[in-house]
Amino acid sequence: FFALFVIEGQSLLVGVMLGAFLSVMAQLGDLVESAVKRLTKVKDTSGIIPGHGGVLDRMDGIVGAAVAAAVLALIVNWQTPATAVLAGW
């Protein structure tokens, strides 16, 4: 994203706002996953990584940010969302 916004001449402010938005969505993904685990009274989502809460605990922030980026790309360009991501929105 840095190259798209700085080298390609896109607005740096948009890049900073997008980065801030996606970081908040990553934190929200972590909180949602923790809430689901508390509601279901499950401590670990898998036993692959013992003592670390499972694989989902390692990926929850990435999943939250990826879903938010995909929805944002669909909003920006619903016909070809990949173009929205690759062209810097």
Side-chain angles (χ1 to χ4, degrees):
F1 283 123
F2 180 78
L4 287 174
F5 289 104
V6 175
I7 297 171
E8 295 294 324
Q10 298 289 334
S11 170
L12 184 61
L13 179 62
V14 173
V16 169
M17 288 174 31
L18 180 62
F21 172 73
L22 291 178
S23 67
V24 168
M25 291 297 106
Q27 292 298 316
L28 213 68
D30 183 32
L31 292 172
V32 167
E33 191 263 342
S34 294
V36 168
K37 281 176 42 177
R38 283 193 187 103
L39 285 174
T40 58
K41 295 180 174 49
V42 174
K43 182 177 169 132
D44 292 340
T45 54
S46 72
I48 294 174
I49 309 172
H52 287 273
V55 174
L56 188 56
D57 239 14
R58 300 291 114 203
M59 302 294 290
D60 51 10
I62 294 170
V63 170
V67 169
V71 169
L72 194 57
L74 283 169
I75 291 169
V76 170
N77 189 346
W78 67 273
Q79 292 177 330
T80 55
T83 303
V85 173
L86 295 174
W89 312 94

